[in-house]
Amino acid sequence: MKAPWSATARQRRQAGQGSWWSGLPGVVYLIALVFLPLVIIFVYSFLSRAKLGVGVKWQFSLTPYTELLFSESLSGGRSFDPTYLQIIANSFWYAIITSVVCLVLSIPIALWLATRAPERRTALVFAVTIPFWTSLLIRTYSFIIILNDNGPINGLLKGIGIIDEPIAMLYTPFATVVGLVYTFLPFMILPIYASAERFDFRLAEAAYDLGAAKWTVLRRIVLPSIRPGIIAGMVLVFIPALGSYLAPELLGGGKTSMIANVIAAQFGASRNWPFGAALSVLLLVITLLVLVIFAVVAKRASRAAGRGGWEALI
Amino acid sequence: MCLTSTISEEPLDASAPALSVRDVTKTFQTPEGGQISALDSVSLDIADGSFMVLLGPSGCGKTTLLRCIAGLESPDSGRIDLRGQRIDNMPVWRRRVNTVFQSYALFPHMTVAQNIAFGLQMDKVPGDIIKRKVGESLDMVHLSGLGSRKPSQLSGGQQQRVALARALAKEPEVLLLDEPLSALDLKLRRGMQSELKRLQRETSITFVLVTHDQDEAMAMGDQVAVFNDGRIVQVGEPREVYLRPCSRFVADFIGEANVLTGALDTYGLVIESVGFVPRDRLMPDTQAALGQVHVAVRPENVSLQLDPVGSAKIIDVSYVGGDMRVEAVAAASGTAVNAAVSIVSRVPSQGVQPPRIGDRVSVSFAEGSLTVVAD
Amino acid sequence: MTMDSMPTRGRKRRRNGGVGPGLRDFPTFKAVSYLVFVFLYLPLVVVVAYSFNSNRVVSVWRGFTFSWYSEVLGNDDIQRALFNSLRIGVVATIVSVVLATGLAIGLLTMARAGRTFAWTLIGAPLIIPEIVFAIGTLALFVQSRIPLGVNAITLAHIAFCVPFALLPIRARLRGVDPAVYEAAADLGAGEFTIFRRMTLPLLAPGIVAGALLAFIISLDDFIVSYFLAGPGGTTLPVYIFGMIRNAVTPGVNALSTLMLVASILIVSLSYLLARKRR
Ligand SMILES: Nc1ncnc2c1ncn2[C@@H]1O[C@H](COP(=O)(O)OP(=O)(O)O)[C@@H](O)[C@H]1O
Ligand SMILES: [Mg+2]
C-alpha cells in the first residue's frame, strides 16, 4: 500500500511511533474550517449582492471588483472613485509605520535581553510575552482610557504645567499607530531576540579589537548577524498589521479605516457580502505577495550571510 | 615586502619596552558566588620586536592576561603600558594592539578581503591604500586569490591565516595570539609555527603568543613566560627555562625532569637513595642555603651504569624517537620501598647495548646539570 | 586582602553581561528596554487601576471603590456571557487538543508532501488576516445553514486553537527517545498499549500546556466570535465590546481585570508546566 501521505514502510512500522493517519482528523477538520471558508470567500467575490444584504445572489458578476475602483451613481453611470484605493494605501502606510517603529524599539530590547544573565533572561522574555496572552480587545480598549482628553497622560502633562489644554490624541491616526505598535511589538521582539541570543559576541570583540567603536560594531557586525531575525520580525508584524481590525476600529474613531474595517462593514451595516468578499480576496492576495517578497529577500539575505538563516528560525 | 616600513606613527618612547605589565590583578566571580583569581599581581616586560610566549596549563590565566592587554577585560588593579604610554584605561578600539582569536572570530557575513579591510576602514585609511594593503596581507599569508571567498568556504588552516592577515594588516605595536594553532592538526601546526616565526621576523612586530604546549613554546619563543595559577613563575629564554627551571612546577611542566631531594653541604649533595653527588655536578653558580634542597635534572644528563651493587634497578626501557628512555628505581639498602625514587635517563639509542629490566645500575649525573628548585 | 579592597568596582563591571568592560552593552539600549516594558504593561496596569475608580465617567479618576466588581458579578447578562465563553473554551480546547495530538504524532511519519500540506493548513489561521477568517467562516455557516451561536463559534475556535495546542505537544514529542517505544514493543506491548502507557504519559505536560494555551486563545478571541455570535452566542469579549461601544462604565474595567487575571494565571501555569518537567 503506497498512499501518498505515508512515508516509507520501514518508517511507518516503527514501534509506537504512531502512523500518519492519526493526523488525518486534524487535516480534514482544517480543510473544512480553514480551507473551505477561503474557497467560499473566493466564490462569493464573483457573485451578486442579495436583496436584503445578508448572503449573496447566485449570479455571476464582476461588480464586486469594479466597485473597488468605480462608484455607481443613482443614474447608473460609473465614475472613478479612489476611496477604496485610498484605504488600501492607508493600510500599507500604517503597516509600514508600525513595522518601522516596532523595529526601532525591538532592536535595543532584543539585544539587551540577549545579553542578560541566563536565569534572568528567561524570566524577562516571559515577561515580554505575557501581555500577548491577554485579551487584545481589552488591551486596545485600555488606550481609550490612556489617550483620551481626561486620561492619565493629559492629566500628567497638565499637572506638571506643560500644557493648558489637553492634547487630542484619541481618535486620531496617532492613536491607531500606537495601538498597532502595541499589538505587534512582541512579534518583532521575539524573533530578533532569538537571533541576537545566537549571536557570537566574540565577533563583536574581534571588531572592537580591530578598532571599531560601539556604534560601528552595532551597525557593521551585530545588525548584519541578526538580520534573519529582523526579516522574520518584519514578516510577523507587517502582514498582520496590514489586516488589523481592532486598533483602527476602537482608537481611530472612524477616521483611519483600514481594509479590515471596510470588510467588516460589508458584513455588518453596509450589507454587501460580495464586495466584502472581493476585498478579502484582495487582502489575501496582498498578504501572499508580501510573504513571497519577504521570502525572496530572506533567501538572498541568508545566502549573503553565508549560511542558512531564517528557514531555521521559523 | 616589509610592513614595518609603512608604520607612520613614531614610537612614543623608543627605549621603553614594547609592552609593560605591572601588578595586574583580575578576579572573576563564579556563578556559584565564589571568586577565582585569574591574574594575581602579574608583572611582565616584553622587549620591542621580540617573540614572547606565555606558557602554562589550561585555566591558569593566560587568556585573561591577553584580554586585559587587548582591552576586552579590564584589570581590577595594576597598569599596562604600551611603549611607555598607559593603555589600561583606554577603550579597546583605541589601543594599537591586535589579537588573533583562538576561535578566529572571522566575520561570517563578510568576504575574506572585507574581513581584512575592516580594521583599516576603522583607521579611516583611504580606499586605494586599503585595497593595496589587503592584497599585500593576502600575499603575506599565501592566500592570494581567495579574497572574494566567504570564511565558511575556507579550510581551518586558511581561516587561521585570514585571522592573522586581518590583525597584521593594521600593523599593531603588539600582536596578541591566543592559542592560534590549537585547532590545527599536528602537521599543519608545525608548518604554521615556522610560518609565524617568519612573519614575526619579517614584520618585526612584537608577538605575544599564548600556548599550553611546551614544545610549541620552546620552538617559537625568544622569551618564555611560564604561568601557574594566575602568576608568572619564570621568565627567560627557552633554553634557560629548560635547563634552569626555578621551581618544581616549571621543571615538571616543561619537558621531563627528575626532581630529587637531598642534603646540601659545602662538598656536595647527599641524596639518600642515590648516594653522594659531588659539588661540580650542580650548576656552577648555585647559591642555595645549606641543608635540605630539591634539585632537578633532565633525563639526558642522567647516566645509568651497569653495576651489580648499584643502588638502582631498571624497571622500564622504551624508545622515544631516536632516544632510549630508561626508568629505574633507586632505593638505599634498608629503606622502605615507598622511600624509593624513580629516575629517568634518556640517551641516544644508537650504539648502546640496551639494558634489561631488572639489571642493577648505579646513577650518575653530568657535570653542572643539577639545578636547585623551589618546591 | 586585595580581594576585599575592590569588590565594588568588580561587581559593577560584572553586571555588564558578565564579559568585558561593558562591551556587550550599547548606550541607551537599557533605557529603551525599560521604556518598552513600561509600554507593554501600561495598558494592563491602567485597566486594573481604573477598575477601582468610583466615578461613573470611566476616564476621570475620582476615588476608590470595589462596587464595580459586585455589580459586574451580579449581572445576569454577564453571567450568561461568561457561561458561553467557558463552554466554548472547554469544548474547543478538548477537541483541538485531541486533533493536535493526532497531528503531532501523524506529522512524524507523514511523507514530505503530506507534511508540507498539513503545515500550511496548520499555519494558515496564523497568517490569514483574522477578519478574513471570521467572515469566511460566517459565509460557510450561512451557506451550509449551520445556525450561528455558541456551537458555530466553537467550531471556528477549534480551527485556530489547533496550532497553539500543537506547538508544546510537538516540542515534547521531539524530546522523546524513540528507544522507549522500541523497549515497550520489545516487552510485548501492542500499538495501542504503547500509545496509552508510553506516548500519552510522556506527552502529558505538553498536552496540558497546549490545552491551557488553546483555552486562553479561545477565551480571549473577539473578532471571530463577534461575527458568529448570532442572537444567543454572546461571549465575554463580545459583551465587553458592546459595553465599550455603548455605555462605557468602570464595570468594563472590572470585568476586563478579571479576564486579564485569568489569562495571566493560565499562561503562567502553562509556562511553569512546560519548564518544570524538562
Ligand atoms: N568571564 C569569566 N568569568 C568567570 N571566570 C572566568 C572568566 N574568564 C576566565 N575565567 C576563569 O579565570 C581562570 C583563567 O582563565 P583563562 O585566562 O581563560 O585561562 P587560560 O587561557 O590560561 O586557559 C579560569 O579559572 C577561568 O575559569
Ligand atoms: Mg585560554
Side-chain angles (χ1 to χ4, degrees):
Chain A
M1 191 196 76
K2 263 265 180 315
W5 300 96
S6 67
T8 62
R10 200 195 63 77
Q11 232 177 313
R12 196 155 30 99
R13 297 284 285 277
Q14 255 177 11
Q17 290 255 319
S19 309
W20 59 272
W21 51 257
S22 70
L24 211 53
V27 169
V28 169
Y29 194 93
L30 292 177
I31 289 176
L33 276 126
V34 174
F35 185 63
L36 224 51
L38 297 183
V39 172
I40 298 230
I41 285 292
F42 185 74
V43 172
Y44 271 22
S45 73
F46 291 100
L47 297 177
S48 311
R49 194 175 170 179
K51 271 246 167 46
L52 292 171
V54 175
V56 288
K57 194 160 90 185
W58 283 84
Q59 184 181 13
F60 178 81
S61 160
L62 283 177
T63 317
Y65 288 97
T66 55
E67 270 179 300
L68 284 171
L69 294 179
F70 301 96
S71 63
E72 224 152 311
S73 62
L74 287 174
S75 54
R78 269 193 196 164
S79 58
F80 178 71
D81 180 355
T83 313
Y84 294 116
L85 277 184
Q86 186 63 49
I87 285 172
I88 293 167
N90 270 352
S91 302
F92 264 96
W93 184 230
Y94 283 123
I96 289 170
I97 293 181
T98 302
S99 311
V100 170
V101 175
C102 282
L103 183 67
V104 169
L105 292 176
S106 296
I107 288 174
I109 189 176
L111 280 169
W112 184 77
L113 286 172
T115 50
R116 293 312 91 191
E119 326 81 58
R120 248 183 103 207
R121 205 188 299 169
T122 1
L124 285 169
V125 172
F126 181 56
V128 169
T129 55
I130 284 182
F132 164 76
W133 293 107
T134 61
S135 162
L136 179 59
L137 173 68
I138 294 172
R139 282 179 289 144
T140 309
Y141 150 72
S142 182
F143 280 101
I144 296 182
I145 305 180
I146 295 171
L147 296 178
N148 81 51
D149 289 358
N150 305 312
I153 290 186
N154 273 316
L156 188 74
L157 292 179
K158 249 195 282 191
I160 54 179
I162 293 179
I163 52 169
D164 298 326
E165 288 300 303
I167 304 174
M169 290 182 286
L170 187 59
Y171 305 134
T172 63
F174 170 75
T176 305
V177 170
V178 169
L180 289 174
V181 168
Y182 183 84
T183 308
F184 297 112
L185 196 51
F187 295 90
M188 188 69 89
I189 295 176
L190 293 176
I192 296 183
Y193 164 76
S195 271
E197 199 196 18
R198 257 177 286 160
F199 175 66
D200 180 359
F201 264 89
R202 288 177 301 185
L203 296 181
E205 287 184 346
Y208 283 124
D209 186 77
L210 290 168
K214 293 222 157 174
W215 293 113
T216 315
V217 172
L218 182 70
R219 193 168 49 83
R220 299 227 16 214
I221 308 297
V222 180
L223 289 187
S225 302
I226 60 174
R227 194 152 68 179
I230 291 177
I231 292 171
M234 293 298 272
V235 175
L236 292 178
V237 171
F238 186 83
I239 287 180
L242 205 57
S244 314
Y245 171 78
L246 269 179
E249 186 76 12
L250 290 182
L251 305 177
K255 279 178 245 170
T256 58
S257 281
M258 293 176 66
I259 306 177
N261 306 99
V262 182
I263 295 174
Q266 304 313 312
F267 287 81
S270 307
R271 300 258 160 128
N272 188 347
W273 286 31
F275 180 54
L279 276 168
S280 299
V281 171
L282 186 70
L283 181 56
L284 272 179
V285 169
I286 293 174
T287 301
L288 286 180
L289 275 181
V290 172
L291 207 58
V292 169
I293 290 170
F294 270 119
V296 170
V297 170
K299 195 162 245 167
R300 204 174 292 163
S302 75
R303 208 180 307 137
R307 358 161 223 194
W310 89 305
E311 291 91 344
L313 218 153
I314 292 195
Chain B
M1 180 213 51
C2 185
L3 283 175
T4 32
S5 58
T6 51
I7 288 186
S8 52
E9 282 174 35
E10 278 305 303
L12 291 160
D13 177 359
S15 65
L19 190 70
S20 148
V21 177
R22 282 278 152 268
D23 296 322
V24 166
T25 297
K26 176 81 191 173
T27 308
F28 287 111
Q29 200 95 29
T30 58
E32 300 81 42
Q35 289 196 321
I36 296 177
S37 175
L39 293 176
D40 185 2
S41 191
V42 168
S43 296
L44 183 65
D45 280 328
I46 299 172
D48 189 17
S50 68
F51 198 129
M52 168 65 85
V53 175
L54 308 182
L55 173 66
S58 127
C60 68
K62 307 175 304 281
T63 297
T64 306
L65 179 60
L66 231 50
R67 290 171 61 86
C68 285
I69 297 171
L72 297 167
E73 209 80 73
S74 43
D76 297 330
S77 62
R79 67 177 282 168
I80 301 172
D81 293 85
L82 184 68
R83 286 191 186 278
Q85 188 191 26
R86 184 162 188 175
I87 57 164
D88 54 274
N89 42 15
M90 223 183 237
V92 209
W93 52 89
R94 299 249 306 278
R95 303 185 187 193
R96 293 193 50 83
V97 168
N98 288 114
T99 308
V100 176
F101 290 84
Q102 188 169 7
S103 62
Y104 312 149
L106 298 180
F107 307 132
H109 58 289
M110 296 183 190
T111 63
V112 167
Q114 286 167 338
N115 262 281
I116 297 173
F118 184 87
L120 299 169
Q121 289 163 355
M122 297 302 114
D123 288 347
K124 307 249 174 347
V125 176
D128 47 337
I129 298 184
I130 291 184
K131 209 168 159 193
R132 204 192 70 222
K133 285 199 172 186
V134 168
E136 285 175 4
S137 302
L138 283 172
D139 287 345
M140 194 168 63
V141 295
H142 309 305
L143 286 180
S144 333
L146 297 187
S148 54
R149 294 241 189 125
K150 283 281 168 63
S152 56
Q153 297 166 317
L154 299 179
S155 72
Q158 289 171 325
Q159 292 182 8
Q160 146 94 90
R161 285 158 186 273
V162 176
L164 197 59
R166 183 175 72 174
L168 277 177
K170 291 208 44 153
E171 296 157 26
E173 301 284 351
V174 174
L175 183 73
L176 308 173
L177 305 101
D178 190 358
E179 312 222 0
L181 309 180
S182 63
L184 305 181
D185 56 47
L186 189 64
K187 222 170 184 173
L188 216 50
R189 203 181 313 165
R190 285 280 140 72
M192 273 313 280
Q193 283 176 5
S194 42
E195 185 83 18
L196 279 175
K197 282 294 284 182
R198 176 184 66 82
L199 282 171
Q200 197 269 331
R201 268 197 316 275
E202 283 180 5
T203 59
S204 53
I205 290 175
T206 310
F207 276 34
V208 181
L209 181 139
V210 158
T211 181
H212 63 258
D213 176 347
Q214 46 115 357
D215 289 334
E216 195 168 291
M218 293 295 132
M220 303 179 76
D222 297 335
Q223 294 268 304
V224 175
V226 184
F227 263 71
N228 186 30
D229 212 7
R231 275 173 237 238
I232 292 185
V233 287
Q234 190 170 3
V235 187
E237 287 173 19
R239 191 182 149 69
E240 189 187 322
V241 173
Y242 181 77
L243 290 177
R244 313 192 72 168
C246 68
S247 73
R248 182 190 278 264
F249 170 81
V250 178
D252 274 340
F253 188 73
I254 299 180
E256 198 171 20
N258 299 289
V259 179
L260 306 165
T261 307
L264 184 67
D265 58 32
T266 42
Y267 306 105
L269 182 67
V270 178
I271 301 171
E272 198 182 350
S273 45
V274 177
F276 178 71
V277 179
R279 181 94 203 191
D280 66 347
R281 307 288 128 164
L282 291 170
M283 289 264 176
D285 51 351
T286 300
Q287 273 152 15
L290 304 185
Q292 188 184 316
V293 292
H294 303 286
V295 290
V297 57
R298 296 293 173 190
E300 56 268 33
N301 291 327
V302 175
S303 67
L304 303 173
Q305 240 80 45
L306 276 177
D307 177 356
V309 294
S311 62
K313 197 167 76 180
I314 290 175
I315 56 164
D316 186 47
V317 179
S318 57
Y319 293 88
V320 183
D323 287 356
M324 181 168 65
R325 182 184 178 278
V326 183
E327 192 173 346
V329 271
S333 50
T335 52
V337 180
N338 58 7
V341 290
S342 132
I343 293 178
V344 176
S345 162
R346 191 163 166 168
V347 288
S349 57
Q350 235 163 4
V352 178
Q353 178 73 29
R356 284 189 310 270
I357 290 174
D359 283 350
R360 286 219 150 257
V361 288
S362 61
V363 181
S364 59
F365 305 105
E367 206 171 306
S369 65
L370 267 64
T371 172
V372 176
V373 297
D375 195 16
Chain C
M1 291 316 94
T2 35
M3 276 192 191
D4 289 342
S5 58
M6 70 315 138
T8 38
R9 276 182 70 198
R11 196 168 302 144
K12 189 157 181 234
R13 250 196 308 277
R14 264 187 300 275
R15 219 181 279 146
N16 296 329
V19 173
L23 290 180
R24 293 182 166 210
D25 294 331
F26 297 95
T28 71
F29 278 21
K30 186 177 174 185
V32 173
S33 305
Y34 281 32
L35 280 178
V36 167
F37 270 110
V38 169
F39 182 52
L40 285 175
Y41 280 88
L42 184 68
L44 307 187
V45 172
V46 163
V47 166
V48 174
Y50 275 73
S51 73
F52 301 109
N53 183 5
S54 64
N55 197 340
R56 218 155 230 293
V57 182
V58 153
S59 53
V60 184
W61 180 266
R62 189 193 283 153
F64 188 88
T65 180
F66 267 118
S67 63
W68 298 112
Y69 283 92
S70 48
E71 188 180 312
V72 161
L73 293 175
N75 182 320
D76 282 349
D77 288 339
I78 292 180
Q79 282 174 4
R80 215 168 303 127
L82 173 66
F83 178 73
N84 283 344
S85 276
L86 290 179
R87 191 180 139 191
I88 293 164
V90 168
V91 176
T93 299
I94 293 171
V95 178
S96 62
V97 163
V98 170
L99 294 178
T101 308
L103 276 168
I105 295 169
L107 278 167
L108 285 182
T109 46
M110 269 183 204
R112 206 187 149 82
R115 214 165 38 217
T116 311
F117 179 72
W119 271 118
T120 310
L121 276 174
I122 294 163
L126 304 178
I127 289 288
I128 299 172
E130 231 181 318
I131 188 74
V132 176
F133 183 72
I135 56 118
T137 319
L138 171 67
L140 174 72
F141 288 167
V142 168
Q143 197 62 48
S144 50
R145 309 213 190 293
I146 296 171
L148 300 182
V150 171
N151 294 333
I153 296 175
T154 310
L155 285 174
H157 278 198
I158 292 168
F160 64 74
C161 283
V162 164
F164 289 93
L166 182 66
L167 290 178
I169 298 176
R170 198 175 133 74
R172 190 80 200 167
L173 193 62
R174 278 176 157 182
V176 175
D177 180 1
V180 167
Y181 305 125
E182 284 162 13
D186 184 66
L187 293 168
E191 283 287 319
F192 184 72
T193 314
I194 292 176
F195 177 75
R196 200 171 52 85
R197 299 281 304 275
M198 299 291 140
T199 314
L200 270 189
L202 284 170
L203 292 189
I207 291 177
V208 174
L212 291 172
L213 295 188
F215 185 72
I216 313 183
I217 290 294
S218 165
L219 194 68
D220 286 344
D221 170 74
F222 162 69
I223 298 181
V224 173
S225 309
Y226 180 66
F227 280 93
L228 301 180
T234 302
T235 63
L236 270 186
V238 174
Y239 189 85
I240 291 175
F241 186 74
M243 287 170 93
I244 296 169
R245 263 303 162 74
N246 304 322
V248 184
T249 72
V252 180
N253 299 326
L255 187 54
S256 300
T257 299
L258 294 175
M259 285 198 68
L260 292 180
V261 170
S263 300
I264 291 175
L265 282 182
I266 295 171
V267 74
S268 302
L269 197 64
S270 156
Y271 173 77
L272 288 179
L273 269 175
R275 268 181 57 130
K276 211 171 168 183
R277 306 248 206 119
R278 276 287 148 88

